[in-house]
CSV table of all heavy atoms in Angstrom, one decimal:
chain,number,residue,atom,x,y,z
B,233,GLY,N,-7.1,-19.9,-12.6
B,233,GLY,CA,-6.0,-20.4,-11.6
B,233,GLY,C,-5.3,-21.7,-12.1
B,233,GLY,O,-4.6,-22.3,-11.3
B,234,SER,N,-5.3,-21.9,-13.4
B,234,SER,CA,-4.6,-23.2,-13.9
B,234,SER,C,-3.3,-22.8,-14.5
B,234,SER,O,-2.4,-23.8,-14.9
B,234,SER,CB,-5.4,-23.8,-14.9
B,234,SER,OG,-5.6,-23.1,-16.1
B,235,ARG,N,-2.9,-21.5,-14.9
B,235,ARG,CA,-1.7,-21.2,-15.6
B,235,ARG,C,-1.1,-20.0,-15.0
B,235,ARG,O,-1.8,-19.0,-14.6
B,235,ARG,CB,-2.0,-21.0,-17.1
B,235,ARG,CG,-2.4,-22.3,-17.8
B,235,ARG,CD,-2.7,-22.1,-19.3
B,235,ARG,NE,-3.0,-23.3,-20.0
B,235,ARG,CZ,-4.2,-23.8,-20.1
B,235,ARG,NH1,-5.2,-23.3,-19.3
B,235,ARG,NH2,-4.4,-25.0,-20.7
B,236,ILE,N,0.2,-20.0,-15.0
B,236,ILE,CA,1.1,-18.7,-14.5
B,236,ILE,C,2.0,-18.5,-15.6
B,236,ILE,O,2.9,-19.3,-15.9
B,236,ILE,CB,1.7,-19.0,-13.2
B,236,ILE,CG1,0.7,-19.2,-12.1
B,236,ILE,CG2,2.6,-17.8,-12.8
B,236,ILE,CD1,1.3,-19.4,-10.8
B,237,TYR,N,1.8,-17.2,-16.2
B,237,TYR,CA,2.8,-17.0,-17.3
B,237,TYR,C,3.9,-16.1,-16.7
B,237,TYR,O,3.7,-15.3,-15.7
B,237,TYR,CB,1.9,-16.0,-18.3
B,237,TYR,CG,0.9,-16.7,-19.1
B,237,TYR,CD1,-0.4,-16.8,-18.5
B,237,TYR,CD2,1.1,-17.5,-20.2
B,237,TYR,CE1,-1.4,-17.6,-19.1
B,237,TYR,CE2,0.2,-18.2,-20.9
B,237,TYR,CZ,-1.1,-18.2,-20.4
B,237,TYR,OH,-2.2,-18.9,-21.0
B,238,VAL,N,5.1,-16.1,-17.4
B,238,VAL,CA,6.2,-15.4,-16.9
B,238,VAL,C,6.7,-14.6,-17.9
B,238,VAL,O,7.0,-14.9,-19.2
B,238,VAL,CB,7.4,-16.4,-16.5
B,238,VAL,CG1,8.6,-15.7,-16.0
B,238,VAL,CG2,6.9,-17.5,-15.7
B,239,LEU,N,6.8,-13.2,-17.7
B,239,LEU,CA,7.2,-12.2,-18.5
B,239,LEU,C,8.4,-11.4,-18.0
B,239,LEU,O,8.7,-11.4,-16.9
B,239,LEU,CB,6.2,-11.0,-18.8
B,239,LEU,CG,4.9,-11.3,-19.6
B,239,LEU,CD1,4.0,-12.3,-19.0
B,239,LEU,CD2,4.3,-10.1,-19.9
B,240,PRO,N,9.4,-11.1,-18.9
B,240,PRO,CA,10.5,-10.5,-18.5
B,240,PRO,C,10.2,-8.9,-18.1
B,240,PRO,O,9.2,-8.3,-18.6
B,240,PRO,CB,11.5,-10.3,-19.9
B,240,PRO,CG,10.5,-10.4,-21.0
B,240,PRO,CD,9.4,-11.4,-20.5
B,241,LYS,N,10.9,-8.4,-17.2
B,241,LYS,CA,10.7,-7.1,-16.9
B,241,LYS,C,11.0,-5.9,-17.8
B,241,LYS,O,10.3,-5.0,-18.1
B,241,LYS,CB,11.6,-6.6,-15.5
B,241,LYS,CG,11.4,-5.3,-15.0
B,241,LYS,CD,12.3,-5.0,-13.9
B,241,LYS,CE,13.7,-4.7,-14.2
B,241,LYS,NZ,14.5,-4.2,-13.1
B,242,VAL,N,12.2,-6.3,-18.7
B,242,VAL,CA,12.5,-5.3,-19.6
B,242,VAL,C,11.8,-5.5,-20.9
B,242,VAL,O,11.4,-6.7,-21.4
B,242,VAL,CB,14.0,-5.5,-20.0
B,242,VAL,CG1,14.5,-4.4,-21.0
B,242,VAL,CG2,14.9,-5.4,-18.6
B,243,ARG,N,11.5,-4.4,-21.6
B,243,ARG,CA,10.7,-4.5,-22.7
B,243,ARG,C,11.4,-5.2,-23.9
B,243,ARG,O,12.5,-4.9,-24.2
B,243,ARG,CB,10.4,-3.1,-23.2
B,243,ARG,CG,9.6,-2.9,-24.5
B,243,ARG,CD,9.4,-1.5,-24.9
B,243,ARG,NE,8.3,-1.4,-26.0
B,243,ARG,CZ,8.6,-1.4,-27.3
B,243,ARG,NH1,9.8,-1.4,-27.7
B,243,ARG,NH2,7.7,-1.1,-28.1
B,244,PRO,N,10.8,-6.4,-24.4
B,244,PRO,CA,11.5,-7.2,-25.4
B,244,PRO,C,11.4,-6.4,-26.8
B,244,PRO,O,10.3,-5.7,-27.1
B,244,PRO,CB,10.7,-8.5,-25.4
B,244,PRO,CG,9.4,-8.0,-25.0
B,244,PRO,CD,9.5,-6.9,-24.0
B,245,THR,N,12.4,-6.6,-27.7
B,245,THR,CA,12.3,-6.1,-28.9
B,245,THR,C,12.2,-7.3,-30.0
B,245,THR,O,11.9,-7.0,-31.2
B,245,THR,CB,13.7,-5.4,-29.3
B,245,THR,OG1,14.8,-6.3,-29.1
B,245,THR,CG2,13.8,-4.2,-28.4
B,246,ALA,N,12.2,-8.6,-29.6
B,246,ALA,CA,12.1,-9.6,-30.4
B,246,ALA,C,11.9,-10.9,-29.6
B,246,ALA,O,12.0,-10.8,-28.3
B,246,ALA,CB,13.3,-9.8,-31.3
Side-chain angles (χ1 to χ4, degrees):
S234 64
R235 294 176 176 82
I236 295 180
Y237 297 90
V238 185
L239 282 73
K241 177 181 77 171
V242 180
R243 183 179 188 269
T245 57

